[in-house]
Amino acid sequence: MKTKLNDFLEKEQRPYRKMFDVHPDAIYLIDYKGNFIEVNSGFAEMTGYTQEEVIGKSFYPLIFKEDLEEIKEKFGNCLAGINQSAEYRLIHKNGNIRNKSIDIAPLHGEDGEIIGVFGIGKDITQEKELQLQVKQQEARFHSLVKNSSDIITILDKNKEVVYRSPSFKNVLGYAPEAMPAHISHIIHPDDLEEAQRKTVEFYRNTNRLEKHEVRFKHKNGEWRNFSVIATNLLHDPDVEGIVLNYRDITELKKAQQEVHYMAFHDFLTDLPNRRFLDDRLHMELKFAKANKTKLAVMFIDLDNFKFINDTLGHDIGDKVIQEVARKLNQYVSANDFVARWAGDEFIILVSNKQYEDSVKDIAETIKKSFETPFEIDDYEIFVTASMGISIYPDSGEDSQTLIKNADFAMYLTKQNGKNDYQVFTPTMNIRTYKTFTLQNDIRTALIENQFELYYQPKVNIKTKKIVGAEALIRWNHPEWGVISPGEFIYLAEESGLINPIGDWVLRTVCSQIKLWKEAGLEPIKVSLNMSVYQFLQKNFIEKISNIINESEIEGKWLEFEVTESILLEKEVEMERKINALTKLGVDIALDDFGTGYSSLGYLRKYKFRTIKLDRSFITDIHTNQESQAIIKFIINLAKELKMNVVAEGVEFEQQLNILSQLECDEIQGYLFSKPLPVNDFENLLGNNKIKKDKTTERGKQHSDYFKVLLKYPIESAMTIVELNKKKIQVGKSNVLVEVIGPGGLQFLSDITLPNNVDLILQFTTQILGQEIIFKGKIVWSEENDVFSRYGIEFIINEEQIGPIIKLLNQLQIKMKNNSEIESTPFITKNKTDYFLTKS
């Protein structure tokens, strides 16, 4: 048999050899025993074996074990004369398994006898891998579709359902084949019309995703929320339909609703929060304006709640807040709205009330309900509340104004003894309104850097050189202009902000001292006023030391001014801290000396470097012999104790002369300079020697008209009608008019008013029995310890001027003739006493 095969190869080799060798597929001849007789280069590439390595050897070792029996069978069939095809796995020379497809045919000799097998093989490994991937993907797709939480539906051009995914049963409980073509019977009735309209849009818009939401009824009766995404693929020959993807978003909707609820409700009380209140109040105002009804805003603040937290703990405090919330909800109607504003503050919106009395009834009911104590964790806790009420449109026409005015009225309730309510009225005076505004804004002032330091020079009384300065904080308020510390420091103490504000002042002063030194200016000592709250901080000394070191200055350039009231707080602790400050090089000055009860004892106990004479003695030193005698005694005593004496509040040449005769060391006051911003103060430092200040803040008042200088000032009622182009409602405060003319007036007030903002004032007074009303703006101002003096330019038209000129002429004639001036509220008492004693 082998001889016959060799003869065959010799005979057939010439014409087919070249084709045999270059064919890319594996071609081979195998004898009837299964041994390779001939292989081409394609076989070597497919298997990794060369001709020399396989000729005469069996093909069996190349076959994957699990496929060998099948291939042997195919080989046997071929030797029996039957062509065979098969796929099998071949073991490559490198050990990898490759997928092959083969076609084998019997090889006949000249006598027709089968002498071997002719085979052609192809590598189909990549094709098999692709087929496997496709098969896996199809299986995965079918599994996903079947088990998906999404439902896929395809509608044909006639809006008939041609496919509905098996997941229909998993998601909604219905078998797909059991569902009718149209599913309108399971769509929520409220969503049906919108779903039908959207279906029309699906067919209208090609290649565009359309989205909407719909509710389906589950087989168990529950309504479920679905997001629907529709794609128009009618033009796609593989689909020819509208593909609808329904995704169950029920849990997502619930989560969104929970998040929304949490965003608009207070976590502790479950009441609506400030954001919800803002939305509701806006809506209620729109209704009230459209229907010409009233709306009340009731601001409620618990009295002394901080005491409960501090003594019983925050857990008890939280439970009190919860009980208060429940109680408030009990005493309002279904149309009213209770919200937690912040901390222990609540707001009630009382809607559609025609009369103020009905709102007061609710306030009285709430007030009475607090007479019963709360029983919390074995405690009986009595709580009272202060309430303020504002009413639309009387108290304001927008939400911000109504809340602010209700808060304002509550603030007045607190001032008047707490545990009550007050309705906002425009008669609430300017001072209270301003204080309330500052109280609300002081925290913002610290955050937004609205504070600034001014410096008032201390002058050597002999050389007139600047030897020191007092740093005085100013608040650049966006509405009220520059605010002096006397108006807001106590508010900072009440709000707990005095310590961070004090830290800011100290850091700023230290930085400024360093800058002056670097600029080559002559060094001076800067004094600061210290609050008792600052001194009583546990880390006070450490903080001072750190700030001095960080600023890279010496402590000797700092002086802290303390008052006797600070020393009275905790004498032992104060003595220890004052001694510690002295070791840091910081000097201590006793401020307002002469007004306390133990001043002499303090001089012996504490090592003060400086005594500051109380300005009340300086004010009348040139007219009051007793004041002179007291100042003389203090100066002599200070010299014996080797202490420096500073007189503050020096405004007149006569005061300076007397203090010079008494050998006072330093003076501070408007005679030389008012407190100045840092740039202006640096100009004084650069000159090294200071001259008496002859300048004035007075602007040029209207000069086209005469002015009547009044022997005694006229009492007048003043109010603010507009602040920074915004109309406001406040009550009237009494002022004293000193000079008046057709173009303006000059008045005194104990209220500090800004002259650098857009402020319009209104004055009402009686002159010769006639009521006259003026509006005007401040054009200049002068500060004083007790009151300030202002110049007003009237906002007036020509028609009003004539009658005023006539009236003022009559007044001037009567004054010149010393005639009796009737029906004019002159004030004959001392101006300082007037403001100190008026309510």
Side-chain angles (χ1 to χ4, degrees):
M1 183 67 71
K2 185 174 181 181
T3 301
K4 291 182 179 180
L5 188 55
N6 290 335
D7 292 343
F8 175 81
L9 290 173
E10 288 292 329
K11 184 178 181 180
E12 300 295 331
Q13 188 170 9
R14 291 190 197 93
Y16 299 110
R17 187 73 199 186
K18 186 174 182 180
M19 182 183 71
F20 182 87
D21 288 336
V22 301
H23 199 287
D25 291 339
I27 302 176
Y28 48 86
L29 300 177
I30 300 176
D31 64 16
Y32 68 94
K33 291 183 179 180
N35 297 321
F36 288 104
I37 302 301
E38 188 76 18
V39 297
N40 70 347
S41 59
F43 178 88
E45 184 176 347
M46 185 175 71
T47 64
Y49 293 101
T50 63
Q51 284 185 331
E52 292 74 15
E53 290 175 319
V54 295
I55 298 300
K57 295 180 180 178
S58 173
F59 71 84
Y60 294 159
L62 274 65
I63 307 300
F64 189 68
K65 183 175 63 174
E66 294 180 3
D67 297 339
L68 184 59
E69 290 302 319
E70 180 184 354
I71 295 302
K72 283 182 177 180
E73 183 182 348
K74 297 283 185 180
F75 182 72
N77 291 337
C78 189
L79 290 176
I82 305 171
N83 292 347
Q84 297 288 300
S85 296
E87 290 183 3
Y88 70 99
R89 285 165 288 182
L90 179 141
I91 302 173
H92 193 276
K93 184 179 179 181
N94 62 16
N96 291 338
I97 306 299
R98 310 290 293 177
N99 291 91
K100 309 294 178 183
S101 69
I102 57 170
D103 291 299
I104 55 177
L107 190 64
H108 297 272
E110 290 183 356
D111 57 1
E113 182 182 5
I114 296 174
I115 57 176
V117 172
F118 175 82
I120 298 177
K122 291 185 177 182
D123 190 328
I124 59 171
T125 303
Q126 188 173 7
E127 180 182 340
K128 293 292 286 184
E129 288 175 352
L130 289 173
Q131 288 176 354
L132 179 62
Q133 288 178 12
V134 171
K135 187 175 181 181
Q136 289 174 339
Q137 288 174 354
E138 288 179 350
R140 188 180 295 114
F141 172 76
H142 287 297
S143 177
L144 287 173
V145 169
K146 182 178 179 181
N147 299 293
S148 174
S149 58
D150 290 2
I151 297 172
I152 299 174
T153 299
I154 301 177
L155 304 178
D156 65 12
K157 62 183 180 179
N158 299 317
K159 301 180 183 177
E160 298 294 330
V161 176
V162 294
Y163 175 77
R164 189 173 282 144
S165 63
S167 57
F168 210 98
K169 182 174 180 61
N170 294 336
V171 177
L172 282 170
Y174 307 100
E177 62 276 7
M179 289 294 297
H182 298 286
I183 57 174
S184 58
H185 71 287
I186 66 169
I187 296 178
H188 196 286
D190 294 343
D191 300 344
L192 184 57
E193 183 178 346
E194 175 70 5
Q196 292 170 341
R197 186 182 67 80
K198 283 289 185 182
T199 302
V200 174
E201 290 182 10
F202 297 160
Y203 281 86
R204 186 180 298 148
N205 299 317
T206 305
N207 277 342
R208 197 175 85 183
L209 293 177
E210 295 287 341
K211 298 180 181 180
H212 77 108
E213 291 184 10
V214 66
R215 283 169 289 179
F216 287 140
K217 191 174 187 178
H218 194 279
K219 191 174 182 180
N220 63 13
E222 178 188 4
W223 289 105
R224 308 286 295 178
N225 295 84
F226 283 82
S227 170
V228 185
I229 300 177
T231 309
N232 186 330
L233 296 177
L234 286 168
H235 61 288
D236 189 329
D238 294 327
V239 182
E240 294 183 338
I242 304 291
V243 180
L244 300 170
N245 189 90
Y246 298 90
R247 173 161 292 179
D248 190 333
I249 58 170
T250 305
E251 301 308 319
L252 176 62
K253 294 285 283 188
K254 288 180 180 178
Q256 289 174 339
Q257 289 169 359
E258 288 178 6
V259 170
H260 182 273
Y261 186 88
M262 290 169 63
F264 285 87
H265 286 77
D266 173 55
F267 76 96
L268 180 63
T269 63
D270 211 31
L271 288 176
N273 61 12
R274 182 180 295 202
R275 182 185 295 178
F276 197 167
L277 174 73
D278 288 340
D279 291 347
R280 179 63 176 265
L281 181 52
H282 179 73
M283 181 184 69
E284 293 285 359
L285 278 172
K286 286 180 66 175
F287 178 87
K289 289 174 183 178
N291 295 276
K292 294 182 171 52
T293 58
K294 291 196 173 186
L295 168 69
V297 175
M298 186 181 299
F299 200 107
I300 302 171
D301 182 275
L302 302 185
D303 298 327
N304 303 318
F305 181 73
K306 186 176 183 297
F307 178 77
I308 295 175
N309 272 338
D310 292 346
T311 56
L312 300 181
H314 287 274
D315 289 342
I316 297 294
D318 286 348
K319 291 178 182 179
V320 170
I321 293 293
Q322 291 170 334
E323 289 299 318
V324 169
R326 278 191 281 270
K327 180 165 287 192
L328 293 178
N329 261 325
Q330 293 175 5
Y331 297 109
V332 297
S333 69
N335 295 325
D336 299 330
F337 186 84
V338 183
R340 187 183 183 196
W341 183 249
D344 60 338
E345 297 173 338
F346 300 83
I347 287 182
I348 300 177
L349 303 185
V350 185
S351 59
N352 200 20
K353 297 296 182 184
Q354 294 292 339
Y355 302 102
E356 184 179 311
D357 287 345
S358 60
V359 182
K360 290 181 178 179
D361 289 342
I362 295 174
E364 286 286 358
T365 303
I366 292 173
K367 177 183 174 183
K368 188 172 182 59
S369 72
F370 279 100
E371 293 176 1
T372 304
F374 294 105
E375 295 185 2
I376 298 173
D377 293 358
D378 299 326
Y379 293 103
E380 277 195 350
I381 301 173
F382 285 90
V383 178
T384 61
S386 295
M387 294 172 278
I389 300 169
S390 63
I391 299 175
Y392 167 83
D394 308 339
S395 306
E397 298 188 7
D398 61 86
S399 57
Q400 184 178 359
T401 302
L402 286 169
I403 291 175
K404 187 173 183 179
N405 287 341
D407 190 9
F408 184 22
M410 183 277 297
Y411 169 77
L412 293 179
T413 304
K414 293 273 190 188
Q415 283 195 325
N416 294 331
K418 305 178 182 178
N419 189 29
D420 207 347
Y421 66 90
Q422 188 160 336
V423 179
F424 175 86
T425 65
T427 60
M428 294 172 178
N429 66 37
I430 297 171
R431 183 189 303 281
T432 308
Y433 179 81
K434 184 178 181 182
T435 301
F436 170 75
T437 304
L438 298 182
Q439 182 187 47
N440 283 347
D441 295 346
I442 192 166
R443 193 172 298 275
T444 302
L446 186 60
I447 295 170
E448 297 185 357
N449 297 316
Q450 294 175 2
F451 293 118
E452 179 182 3
L453 285 187
Y454 280 39
Y455 296 86
Q456 188 174 31
K458 295 179 181 179
V459 180
N460 183 288
I461 202 166
K462 293 178 180 178
T463 65
K464 304 302 184 290
K465 284 187 176 182
I466 299 174
V467 293
E470 181 176 0
L472 298 163
I473 189 170
R474 295 291 188 268
W475 177 0
N476 295 311
H477 193 278
E479 284 189 344
W480 291 99
V482 180
I483 307 296
S484 62
E487 292 189 86
F488 67 84
I489 288 299
Y490 78 97
L491 296 176
E493 291 176 342
E494 289 179 354
S495 62
L497 294 175
I498 189 63
N499 288 336
I501 290 175
D503 293 347
W504 176 86
V505 170
L506 180 58
R507 291 182 189 279
T508 305
V509 166
C510 291
S511 298
Q512 192 60 62
I513 291 172
K514 183 182 179 184
L515 289 174
W516 286 335
K517 180 181 178 182
E518 293 173 347
L521 295 172
E522 187 174 340
I524 59 170
K525 189 183 296 291
V526 180
S527 61
L528 304 83
N529 292 285
M530 301 299 288
S531 164
V532 64
Y533 294 96
Q534 294 173 268
F535 264 101
L536 294 180
Q537 294 178 88
K538 290 182 178 179
N539 63 339
F540 176 68
I541 300 300
E542 180 183 358
K543 182 185 292 185
I544 300 298
S545 177
N546 289 339
I547 292 175
I548 291 174
N549 292 332
E550 290 168 7
S551 304
E552 298 177 347
I553 69 166
E554 296 178 78
K556 68 179 182 179
W557 300 116
L558 290 175
E559 181 177 73
F560 291 168
E561 297 185 5
V562 299
T563 61
E564 293 178 56
S565 60
I566 291 181
L567 303 177
L568 285 169
E569 290 287 336
K570 292 186 177 180
E571 288 196 36
V572 174
E573 186 174 350
M574 292 303 301
E575 184 178 7
R576 180 178 60 81
K577 289 186 175 179
I578 287 175
N579 290 335
L581 288 172
T582 303
K583 290 179 181 178
L584 293 176
V586 178
D587 284 334
I588 308 297
L590 183 59
D591 198 10
D592 299 337
F593 184 77
T595 58
Y597 297 102
S598 306
S599 297
L600 296 179
Y602 291 141
L603 293 181
R604 182 173 55 83
K605 187 172 186 178
Y606 302 102
K607 303 301 181 184
F608 297 114
R609 177 188 176 274
T610 301
I611 294 174
K612 292 193 76 174
L613 300 173
D614 186 73
R615 64 180 61 220
S616 63
F617 297 114
I618 307 301
T619 300
D620 63 352
I621 192 175
H622 54 304
T623 60
N624 189 319
Q625 291 297 322
E626 290 182 357
S627 293
Q628 277 193 39
I630 293 172
I631 295 300
K632 182 178 180 179
F633 169 76
I634 295 174
I635 291 175
N636 291 334
L637 177 64
K639 289 186 179 299
E640 291 293 328
L641 296 174
K642 295 181 174 52
M643 293 181 181
N644 192 46
V645 181
V646 178
E648 58 180 342
V650 180
E651 297 185 2
F652 305 112
E653 190 81 32
Q654 302 97 307
Q655 296 169 340
L656 173 63
N657 293 335
I658 293 171
L659 289 167
S660 181
Q661 293 170 11
L662 296 176
E663 298 184 353
C664 181
D665 297 303
E666 299 170 16
I667 56 172
Q668 177 183 345
Y670 277 42
L671 180 63
F672 286 93
S673 175
K674 63 183 178 181
L676 297 171
V678 64
N679 290 336
D680 294 340
F681 182 74
E682 286 174 353
N683 291 334
L684 291 182
L685 280 180
N687 294 330
N688 197 29
K689 193 168 182 179
I690 193 166
K691 298 179 181 179
K692 293 191 288 292
D693 189 1
K694 300 296 184 182
T695 63
T696 175
E697 290 185 325
R698 300 187 184 189
K700 183 181 178 183
Q701 201 169 321
H702 204 296
S703 58
D704 295 337
Y705 303 103
F706 67 92
K707 303 179 183 69
V708 179
L709 277 67
L710 302 169
K711 182 179 180 181
Y712 296 108
I714 297 174
E715 190 174 54
S716 176
M718 178 188 72
T719 188
I720 299 174
V721 294
E722 193 173 304
L723 182 60
N724 292 322
K725 301 191 183 303
K726 179 183 176 183
K727 292 183 179 180
I728 61 174
Q729 294 177 311
V730 294
K732 298 176 181 179
S733 298
N734 288 338
V735 299
L736 298 181
V737 175
E738 296 180 307
V739 181
I740 187 168
L745 58 80
Q746 174 181 308
F747 75 95
L748 304 177
S749 175
D750 59 342
I751 301 172
T752 305
L753 298 168
N755 61 1
N756 56 349
V757 297
D758 195 354
L759 180 73
I760 297 178
L761 301 172
Q762 179 174 291
F763 299 85
T764 305
T765 192
Q766 292 276 336
I767 296 180
L768 301 178
Q770 293 187 38
E771 182 181 75
I772 55 174
I773 300 175
F774 300 103
K775 287 184 181 178
K777 292 186 175 182
I778 298 173
V779 292
W780 59 264
S781 64
E782 293 178 345
E783 292 183 22
N784 190 287
D785 289 339
V786 178
F787 54 80
S788 295
R789 183 173 279 109
Y790 300 92
I792 293 292
E793 186 175 278
F794 290 145
I795 301 170
I796 197 169
N797 57 47
E798 293 298 326
E799 294 179 357
Q800 295 174 293
I801 291 176
I804 293 172
I805 291 175
K806 182 179 178 180
L807 183 64
L808 293 179
N809 275 328
Q810 293 174 8
L811 176 63
Q812 198 166 32
I813 291 169
K814 284 181 174 289
M815 289 173 58
K816 187 175 181 180
N817 297 331
N818 291 320
S819 302
E820 184 179 347
I821 302 174
E822 69 284 351
S823 303
T824 303
F826 289 109
I827 301 298
T828 59
K829 69 190 299 185
N830 180 280
K831 297 170 187 176
T832 299
D833 291 342
Y834 171 82
F835 287 109
L836 289 175
T837 58
K838 79 183 184 72
S839 57

